[in-house]
Amino acid sequence: MPGTFEPLPGGGASVALDDVEISIIRSLAVQLLELIGPGPAEDTPADPLAELFAEGPSEPPSDPVLKRLFPDAYRDPETPGNPQEAAEQRAHSAEFRRYTENDLRAGKRENALAVIHSLNALTPGEGGLAVLELAPAESQRWLGALNDLRLAVGSRLEITDEDDTDDFYRLPDEDPRKPMVMAYLWLGGLQETLVSTLMP
């Protein structure tokens, strides 16, 4: 069935995609790569240890999408509390971010690149559909990338809770958010069916 992941014998998953679907996923993955940015040692490729020992940022990103992709590990309490406790949480969060964000960014870059490479290797078949077949490890990369893409689109739509999506089903066609909403819902369907193929 087009647009739905199905399990492959022996593990992995497959999905039939048309040119428009391929173009949408590829475009979103490229935009995600641009947003995440290069690794910390991109300007010193001759030094293989530079990235290994590079510290990440200590402040949360200002872009709402990046904030969603790289949230604080320790969040301030939602209700006003002890200012000292809030300051300690911010300090712990900054320390955690400094030592983990580079690796998180690298993983998200690798997942997005894996999606782009696998889409670039597709050739259209019968009815203009191309069948993408993923090995188990590739399926995991796709799952990570689909999750990131959905979070990115959801952030742009200012979705903070899954209940926020109920109103989107009733958007009129002339609403400028409609294409992005359709992409968000479609990515969610892809993600859900891919998860089901990976369950034992």
Side-chain angles (χ1 to χ4, degrees), residues 21 24-25 28 146 149-151 153-154 157 159 177-191:
E21 292 169 328
I24 290 170
I25 298 172
L28 289 172
L146 286 173
L149 294 178
R150 191 161 178 265
L151 286 174
V153 174
L157 289 168
I159 296 172
R177 297 171 296 169
K178 185 83 174 198
M180 198 181 293
V181 167
M182 297 303 292
Y184 177 82
L185 297 173
W186 174 62
L187 288 170
L190 277 178
Q191 184 181 4

Side-chain angles (χ1 to χ4, degrees), residues 21-193:
E21 292 169 328
I22 291 169
S23 176
I24 290 170
I25 298 172
R26 184 190 289 119
S27 175
L28 289 172
V30 168
Q31 290 176 53
L32 183 65
L33 278 175
E34 291 171 354
L35 188 62
I36 291 172
E42 289 291 314
D43 54 345
T44 56
D47 184 359
L49 296 177
E51 189 159 353
L52 181 64
F53 291 105
E55 287 187 4
S58 59
E59 294 297 319
S62 58
D63 186 282
V65 172
L66 291 177
K67 271 187 182 175
R68 190 83 181 270
L69 293 174
F70 305 104
D72 277 335
Y74 303 88
R75 296 180 185 226
D76 289 342
E78 302 222 353
T79 55
N82 185 328
Q84 183 179 347
E85 184 180 318
E88 286 174 2
Q89 286 185 347
R90 283 193 295 275
H92 291 314
S93 188
E95 191 75 1
F96 186 81
R97 183 179 295 280
R98 183 178 296 122
Y99 294 109
T100 60
E101 188 166 313
N102 283 345
D103 286 342
L104 291 173
R105 283 181 182 255
K108 290 180 186 302
R109 272 194 301 273
E110 287 169 12
N111 290 343
L113 280 170
V115 166
I116 293 167
H117 292 322
S118 57
L119 291 177
N120 288 344
L122 287 178
T123 52
E126 257 183 68
L129 293 175
V131 177
L132 173 69
E133 293 191 351
L134 302 172
E138 294 173 309
S139 296
Q140 292 290 347
R141 288 207 178 279
W142 262 77
L143 187 58
L146 286 173
N147 185 60
D148 289 341
L149 294 178
R150 191 161 178 265
L151 286 174
V153 174
S155 294
R156 291 295 186 234
L157 289 168
E158 299 181 351
I159 296 172
T160 56
D161 190 292
E162 281 304 311
D163 292 338
D164 294 345
T165 61
D166 292 345
D167 292 339
F168 286 137
Y169 286 100
R170 296 183 288 278
L171 279 181
D173 290 342
E174 60 272 16
D175 192 301
R177 297 171 296 169
K178 185 83 174 198
M180 198 181 293
V181 167
M182 297 303 292
Y184 177 82
L185 297 173
W186 174 62
L187 288 170
L190 277 178
Q191 184 181 4
E192 189 177 332
T193 58

